[in-house]
Amino acid sequence: MCGICGILATSSSFDATEPTVVAMRDTMVHRGPDDAGAASWSSSGGQVAFGHRRLSIVDLSPAGHNPMPNEDETIWITFNGEIYNHRALRAELEAKGHRYRSLTDTETILHLYEEEGPRCVERLQGMFAIAIWDTRRRELFLARDRLGIKPLYYAAPPGGFVFASEIKALLAHPAMSAELDEEAFFHYLTFICTPAPSTMFEGIHKLSPGERMT
């Protein structure tokens, strides 16, 4: 299943430390009992931290550890899902000079992003929730598969931005609180669901199926 989470701080007072992203990550142990990872970066544009809980499916070795960097560690990914055409894409990317360190589909997404940027998701066949931190552009990129099989929630409290596979991971961040969204509650009573981008929590949204965000 896997679980991903992350923090982007645009204010020095916003907590984007590794211990905080680890606390968010470890609310989702059930999504990834096989491995856990975290990474953080600081730049003039702010601070970023990623967390990951892994359920090993493609390449069971430690080489599949997330968050995962590209060759020169300028691009990092935390990924939940499975890409069914990753071997075909890998052959194309290796022909262009990309060097792999694993057999994972995660690494194929990284190299495809290097080649095509955010439009790389248009070539992915499968189910996915993806977060990529591009240190060169100081950009955070999020994407969700076309059917919305893999969940991805986000919030933008003052001074920063948080995302995760589950809402309870967001609520583990000290800037977040569990307040009812009354409009979403009305939708739930009417439709037995809360249509995207709403959730039952005030200020917490979900990426729609097939949607991407920078």
Side-chain angles (χ1 to χ4, degrees), residues 109-167:
I109 301 170
L110 269 175
H111 296 317
L112 193 61
Y113 177 88
E114 289 182 279
E115 289 289 328
E116 302 183 12
R119 296 197 65 173
C120 69
V121 294
E122 298 172 15
R123 301 190 61 200
L124 301 179
Q125 297 172 12
M127 50 185 177
F128 54 83
I130 298 168
I132 292 175
W133 173 240
D134 189 331
T135 66
R136 305 164 305 177
R137 298 185 175 90
R138 298 202 303 273
E139 288 183 354
L140 174 65
F141 172 67
L142 305 176
R144 190 178 177 200
D145 65 77
R146 297 160 186 81
L147 295 181
I149 298 171
K150 296 300 182 181
L152 193 54
Y153 298 92
Y154 65 92
F161 180 89
V162 291
F163 68 88
S165 297
E166 296 189 10
I167 289 175

Side-chain angles (χ1 to χ4, degrees), residues 62-88:
H65 182 77
N66 268 240
M68 180 183 290
N70 65 342
E71 299 99 319
D72 61 5
E73 300 191 353
T74 57
I75 300 171
W76 288 76
I77 187 172
T78 183
F79 165 61
N80 170 29
E82 188 172 353
I83 306 304
Y84 306 134
N85 63 331
H86 77 97
R87 289 189 179 90

Side-chain angles (χ1 to χ4, degrees), residues 10 15 40 47 49 54 61 70 100 105 108 114 140 147 156 180 186 189:
T10 55
D15 189 344
S40 60
Q47 186 169 352
R54 185 184 182 204
S61 77
N70 65 342
Y100 279 71
D105 47 359
T108 288
E114 289 182 279
L140 174 65
L147 295 181
L180 177 68
F186 172 82
L189 294 177

